[in-house]
Each structure stands twice: as C-alpha cells, then as structure tokens.
Amino acid sequence: MLREIAGQPLIGRVYEGVRSSPLLNDVIVATDSDEIMRLCRLHGWNCCMTSAAHRSGTERVHEISSSVAADVYLNVQGDEPLTRTEHIASLLDLMKDPNVQVGTLKTPAPTEDIDNPNAVKVVTDAVGRALYFSRATIPFDRDGAGPSYFKHLGFYAYRKAALERFCALPESSLERSERLEQLRFLENGIPIHVAETLYDTVGVDTEEDLRRVEEILRRRET
C-alpha cells in the first residue's frame, strides 16, 4: 500500500480515484496499519483505524458500518489504483434496486488474465447474478467453442443487513479453498448482483502487477 506508483503511494491513488466520484457522501481509508494511518494524516486523507483481527475487507467495512450510517457501503479494495468514477457509478446503479443486497463488477477478461490465478474470474446467470467466482479459468472450454471470459474487479456494494449477515456466518469451505471472501455469500444462498463495466483494472498483488499499472499510467499521460 505504501509503494509508489508513478510518483504516488498506491493507497493514495485508490483514495483519490474513489473520492473523484460525485456520488459518494464520504470516503474513508479503513486500515489496521499505523504506517498507513500516518501517511493518510500527512496527506489529509480521511482514515480510520480498525481492528487487526479482521480476516477480510468485508469484515473491516462492517466495523465502519457500526459507527457510520449509510444507505449503501462500498468496499474498494486498496490494491485498485486504476479506480474510476465509472466504477463507482456502475456499482451504485446496481443498488438502486432495494432488493439487491450485494453488488460487484466484472469486465471482459484480457487474454493475459484468463489463465492468471491472481485475476479472479466470474460467471453469471441470465439476469446478472453471480454463479461462481474462481481463480481457475471458468468456464472451461471443453470443445474449443471460445466462450466469453469475465474478470471480477475488486469493487463491492453492500446493504448493512448483508454486512451483518456475512459477519455472523463462519468462513465457508469454498471461501477457504479459493481465498475469495465473496464466496461466503454464495455458499450461504445470498445473491451477488454483477454489473459489467468496460473499464478494466489491475489489482496490484505482485511486482508484475505493479509494473503493468505503471505502464498503463504512462500511456494515459502521453
């Protein structure tokens, strides 16, 4: 989170990207890191210290929801430096339906991400609800039919009731296997509605990811 990407700390790029949306009342960096707190205060970024015991970003957002009232809570993972206002708008469009408890985003998967386990894939049903998320390449192309592949992006929207339900449930077996927290919702019958965006992002999990983002930002600026 503290590594610089094109001259700015990763967490700062994410924060500024989210804050650029005119649709949000508040943006908070929720962390358990003293270093990140110091950096945020230095730059004047709104931040909150949360428990170090959380096992997922969803649990961290749930803690924030206990002290900050909102109609909808967004979780933009801190490794998403290519966040755009369009991502926020697509998420909030999903949540206009009061029956939607959890929303997230997908984008057509670039060729280099189809077999990349760090790029999570998602398949959805005919009305846009997630069937499954996986680090594996799904769907499997048994007969060479050339299916469409979609990459899941690390953006979520929740109602408070969904956050409370998530935290009341034990870690699920699929969640444990894939290390994907959103599978806890699916394994317990809680639908996740998925909006499609044309704006891809690169979650920075590796040095290679960091270099990809730097190259994308350089192309944007030239």
Side-chain angles (χ1 to χ4, degrees):
M1 296 299 98
L2 302 177
R3 284 285 297 275
E4 287 200 353
I5 294 184
Q8 186 176 13
L10 171 57
I11 188 64
R13 284 199 171 272
V14 180
Y15 180 80
E16 296 292 353
V18 177
R19 198 174 66 170
S20 66
S21 170
L23 304 176
L24 301 175
N25 290 338
D26 204 358
V27 180
I28 302 168
V29 176
T31 183
D32 61 4
S33 164
D34 290 328
E35 290 177 291
I36 290 177
M37 287 290 289
R38 284 195 294 271
L39 181 72
C40 289
R41 287 168 176 159
L42 177 67
H43 290 277
W45 302 328
N46 192 13
C47 57
C48 182
M49 179 63 79
T50 53
S51 170
H54 296 315
R55 296 167 296 173
S56 68
T58 309
E59 292 181 358
R60 202 170 302 283
V61 174
H62 177 252
E63 180 180 340
I64 294 293
S65 75
S66 66
S67 58
V68 178
D71 296 320
V72 174
Y73 296 88
L74 269 58
N75 175 13
V76 179
Q77 297 183 2
D79 63 356
E80 292 283 359
L82 301 180
T83 298
R84 307 170 59 113
T85 57
E86 290 89 347
H87 295 131
I88 306 301
S90 293
L91 266 182
L92 292 178
D93 277 345
L94 272 179
M95 305 307 286
K96 288 178 180 177
D97 181 347
N99 295 312
V100 175
Q101 292 295 304
V102 185
T104 193
L105 299 179
K106 68 177 182 180
T107 195
T111 301
E112 63 268 28
D113 281 334
I114 291 173
D115 295 319
N116 176 8
N118 290 317
V120 176
K121 273 65 69 177
V122 60
V123 290
T124 56
D125 68 12
V127 294
R129 293 172 301 200
L131 293 170
Y132 194 60
F133 299 86
S134 183
R135 298 184 184 279
T137 302
I138 55 172
F140 179 71
D141 189 11
R142 193 192 74 163
D143 297 325
S148 297
Y149 293 98
F150 288 94
K151 183 171 81 171
H152 176 234
L153 303 184
F155 301 82
Y156 298 92
Y158 314 97
R159 309 276 178 203
K160 185 174 175 64
L163 289 169
E164 291 175 345
R165 179 82 190 282
F166 179 92
C167 292
L169 293 165
E171 183 181 52
S172 73
S173 60
L174 293 175
E175 174 188 9
R176 189 179 308 113
S177 175
E178 296 257 19
R179 300 317 312 166
L180 297 174
E181 63 194 87
Q182 63 269 35
L183 291 175
R184 190 185 308 183
F185 286 112
L186 296 189
E187 204 164 353
N188 286 279
I190 301 167
I192 299 177
H193 294 251
V194 185
E196 183 176 346
T197 177
L198 296 178
Y199 299 99
D200 189 16
T201 68
V202 178
V204 179
D205 298 307
T206 66
E207 288 290 330
E208 181 183 358
D209 294 334
L210 189 144
R211 289 191 293 270
R212 282 179 66 190
V213 170
E214 287 182 324
E215 178 58 31
I216 290 168
L217 292 173
R218 272 195 294 269
R219 290 200 300 267
R220 283 185 183 177
E221 293 166 3
T222 57

PDB file of all heavy atoms in Angstrom, residues 126-139:
ATOM      1  N   ALA A 126     -28.512 -15.523 -16.263  1.00  0.00           N
ATOM      2  CA  ALA A 126     -29.122 -14.717 -17.321  1.00  0.00           C
ATOM      3  C   ALA A 126     -29.557 -13.335 -16.848  1.00  0.00           C
ATOM      4  O   ALA A 126     -29.742 -12.427 -17.671  1.00  0.00           O
ATOM      5  CB  ALA A 126     -30.327 -15.461 -17.910  1.00  0.00           C
ATOM      6  N   VAL A 127     -29.710 -13.137 -15.544  1.00  0.00           N
ATOM      7  CA  VAL A 127     -30.136 -11.827 -15.038  1.00  0.00           C
ATOM      8  C   VAL A 127     -29.015 -11.129 -14.275  1.00  0.00           C
ATOM      9  O   VAL A 127     -29.252 -10.158 -13.557  1.00  0.00           O
ATOM     10  CB  VAL A 127     -31.410 -11.944 -14.171  1.00  0.00           C
ATOM     11  CG1 VAL A 127     -32.579 -12.396 -15.023  1.00  0.00           C
ATOM     12  CG2 VAL A 127     -31.206 -12.879 -12.987  1.00  0.00           C
ATOM     13  N   GLY A 128     -27.793 -11.614 -14.419  1.00  0.00           N
ATOM     14  CA  GLY A 128     -26.655 -10.903 -13.863  1.00  0.00           C
ATOM     15  C   GLY A 128     -26.265 -11.251 -12.438  1.00  0.00           C
ATOM     16  O   GLY A 128     -25.470 -10.532 -11.828  1.00  0.00           O
ATOM     17  N   ARG A 129     -26.776 -12.356 -11.916  1.00  0.00           N
ATOM     18  CA  ARG A 129     -26.358 -12.784 -10.583  1.00  0.00           C
ATOM     19  C   ARG A 129     -25.178 -13.741 -10.708  1.00  0.00           C
ATOM     20  O   ARG A 129     -25.148 -14.593 -11.601  1.00  0.00           O
ATOM     21  CB  ARG A 129     -27.504 -13.479  -9.852  1.00  0.00           C
ATOM     22  CG  ARG A 129     -28.656 -12.543  -9.504  1.00  0.00           C
ATOM     23  CD  ARG A 129     -29.840 -13.300  -8.960  1.00  0.00           C
ATOM     24  NE  ARG A 129     -30.316 -14.291  -9.928  1.00  0.00           N
ATOM     25  CZ  ARG A 129     -31.520 -14.830  -9.914  1.00  0.00           C
ATOM     26  NH1 ARG A 129     -32.390 -14.472  -8.986  1.00  0.00           N
ATOM     27  NH2 ARG A 129     -31.875 -15.720 -10.821  1.00  0.00           N
ATOM     28  N   ALA A 130     -24.236 -13.603  -9.801  1.00  0.00           N
ATOM     29  CA  ALA A 130     -23.039 -14.444  -9.861  1.00  0.00           C
ATOM     30  C   ALA A 130     -23.388 -15.900  -9.600  1.00  0.00           C
ATOM     31  O   ALA A 130     -24.103 -16.216  -8.649  1.00  0.00           O
ATOM     32  CB  ALA A 130     -22.018 -13.967  -8.835  1.00  0.00           C
ATOM     33  N   LEU A 131     -22.885 -16.786 -10.456  1.00  0.00           N
ATOM     34  CA  LEU A 131     -22.973 -18.222 -10.220  1.00  0.00           C
ATOM     35  C   LEU A 131     -21.759 -18.712  -9.440  1.00  0.00           C
ATOM     36  O   LEU A 131     -21.882 -19.553  -8.556  1.00  0.00           O
ATOM     37  CB  LEU A 131     -23.075 -18.970 -11.550  1.00  0.00           C
ATOM     38  CG  LEU A 131     -24.342 -18.753 -12.362  1.00  0.00           C
ATOM     39  CD1 LEU A 131     -24.193 -19.365 -13.752  1.00  0.00           C
ATOM     40  CD2 LEU A 131     -25.538 -19.360 -11.635  1.00  0.00           C
ATOM     41  N   TYR A 132     -20.572 -18.180  -9.797  1.00  0.00           N
ATOM     42  CA  TYR A 132     -19.358 -18.590  -9.096  1.00  0.00           C
ATOM     43  C   TYR A 132     -18.219 -17.634  -9.437  1.00  0.00           C
ATOM     44  O   TYR A 132     -18.194 -17.027 -10.517  1.00  0.00           O
ATOM     45  CB  TYR A 132     -18.957 -20.025  -9.488  1.00  0.00           C
ATOM     46  CG  TYR A 132     -17.912 -20.621  -8.559  1.00  0.00           C
ATOM     47  CD1 TYR A 132     -18.168 -20.781  -7.203  1.00  0.00           C
ATOM     48  CD2 TYR A 132     -16.670 -21.003  -9.037  1.00  0.00           C
ATOM     49  CE1 TYR A 132     -17.208 -21.306  -6.348  1.00  0.00           C
ATOM     50  CE2 TYR A 132     -15.700 -21.533  -8.195  1.00  0.00           C
ATOM     51  CZ  TYR A 132     -15.985 -21.683  -6.836  1.00  0.00           C
ATOM     52  OH  TYR A 132     -15.037 -22.189  -5.991  1.00  0.00           O
ATOM     53  N   PHE A 133     -17.300 -17.487  -8.494  1.00  0.00           N
ATOM     54  CA  PHE A 133     -16.050 -16.765  -8.677  1.00  0.00           C
ATOM     55  C   PHE A 133     -14.920 -17.764  -8.494  1.00  0.00           C
ATOM     56  O   PHE A 133     -14.984 -18.628  -7.608  1.00  0.00           O
ATOM     57  CB  PHE A 133     -15.876 -15.670  -7.619  1.00  0.00           C
ATOM     58  CG  PHE A 133     -16.936 -14.611  -7.621  1.00  0.00           C
ATOM     59  CD1 PHE A 133     -18.129 -14.784  -6.914  1.00  0.00           C
ATOM     60  CD2 PHE A 133     -16.743 -13.409  -8.285  1.00  0.00           C
ATOM     61  CE1 PHE A 133     -19.094 -13.802  -6.878  1.00  0.00           C
ATOM     62  CE2 PHE A 133     -17.709 -12.415  -8.265  1.00  0.00           C
ATOM     63  CZ  PHE A 133     -18.885 -12.611  -7.565  1.00  0.00           C
ATOM     64  N   SER A 134     -13.870 -17.655  -9.296  1.00  0.00           N
ATOM     65  CA  SER A 134     -12.766 -18.606  -9.159  1.00  0.00           C
ATOM     66  C   SER A 134     -11.460 -18.013  -9.679  1.00  0.00           C
ATOM     67  O   SER A 134     -11.453 -17.186 -10.600  1.00  0.00           O
ATOM     68  CB  SER A 134     -13.065 -19.896  -9.923  1.00  0.00           C
ATOM     69  OG  SER A 134     -12.016 -20.837  -9.724  1.00  0.00           O
ATOM     70  N   ARG A 135     -10.371 -18.486  -9.077  1.00  0.00           N
ATOM     71  CA  ARG A 135      -9.043 -18.174  -9.613  1.00  0.00           C
ATOM     72  C   ARG A 135      -8.736 -19.058 -10.832  1.00  0.00           C
ATOM     73  O   ARG A 135      -7.833 -18.745 -11.610  1.00  0.00           O
ATOM     74  CB  ARG A 135      -7.987 -18.365  -8.529  1.00  0.00           C
ATOM     75  CG  ARG A 135      -8.178 -17.438  -7.347  1.00  0.00           C
ATOM     76  CD  ARG A 135      -7.059 -17.572  -6.324  1.00  0.00           C
ATOM     77  NE  ARG A 135      -7.343 -16.737  -5.178  1.00  0.00           N
ATOM     78  CZ  ARG A 135      -7.115 -15.437  -5.104  1.00  0.00           C
ATOM     79  NH1 ARG A 135      -6.573 -14.813  -6.145  1.00  0.00           N
ATOM     80  NH2 ARG A 135      -7.399 -14.745  -4.022  1.00  0.00           N
ATOM     81  N   ALA A 136      -9.483 -20.138 -10.960  1.00  0.00           N
ATOM     82  CA  ALA A 136      -9.337 -21.005 -12.130  1.00  0.00           C
ATOM     83  C   ALA A 136      -9.982 -20.350 -13.348  1.00  0.00           C
ATOM     84  O   ALA A 136     -10.716 -19.366 -13.239  1.00  0.00           O
ATOM     85  CB  ALA A 136      -9.988 -22.359 -11.855  1.00  0.00           C
ATOM     86  N   THR A 137      -9.708 -20.918 -14.521  1.00  0.00           N
ATOM     87  CA  THR A 137     -10.281 -20.396 -15.758  1.00  0.00           C
ATOM     88  C   THR A 137     -11.685 -20.974 -15.928  1.00  0.00           C
ATOM     89  O   THR A 137     -11.849 -22.157 -16.222  1.00  0.00           O
ATOM     90  CB  THR A 137      -9.394 -20.778 -16.953  1.00  0.00           C
ATOM     91  OG1 THR A 137      -8.086 -20.250 -16.735  1.00  0.00           O
ATOM     92  CG2 THR A 137      -9.952 -20.213 -18.240  1.00  0.00           C
ATOM     93  N   ILE A 138     -12.684 -20.128 -15.688  1.00  0.00           N
ATOM     94  CA  ILE A 138     -14.075 -20.556 -15.859  1.00  0.00           C
ATOM     95  C   ILE A 138     -14.763 -19.616 -16.825  1.00  0.00           C
ATOM     96  O   ILE A 138     -14.503 -18.419 -16.825  1.00  0.00           O
ATOM     97  CB  ILE A 138     -14.833 -20.619 -14.517  1.00  0.00           C
ATOM     98  CG1 ILE A 138     -14.749 -19.277 -13.766  1.00  0.00           C
ATOM     99  CG2 ILE A 138     -14.343 -21.763 -13.674  1.00  0.00           C
ATOM    100  CD1 ILE A 138     -15.627 -19.211 -12.523  1.00  0.00           C
ATOM    101  N   PRO A 139     -15.661 -20.134 -17.718  1.00  0.00           N
ATOM    102  CA  PRO A 139     -15.998 -21.548 -17.887  1.00  0.00           C
ATOM    103  C   PRO A 139     -14.877 -22.322 -18.592  1.00  0.00           C
ATOM    104  O   PRO A 139     -14.087 -21.743 -19.330  1.00  0.00           O
ATOM    105  CB  PRO A 139     -17.246 -21.499 -18.766  1.00  0.00           C
ATOM    106  CG  PRO A 139     -17.060 -20.245 -19.577  1.00  0.00           C
ATOM    107  CD  PRO A 139     -16.403 -19.263 -18.649  1.00  0.00           C
TER     108      PRO A 139
END
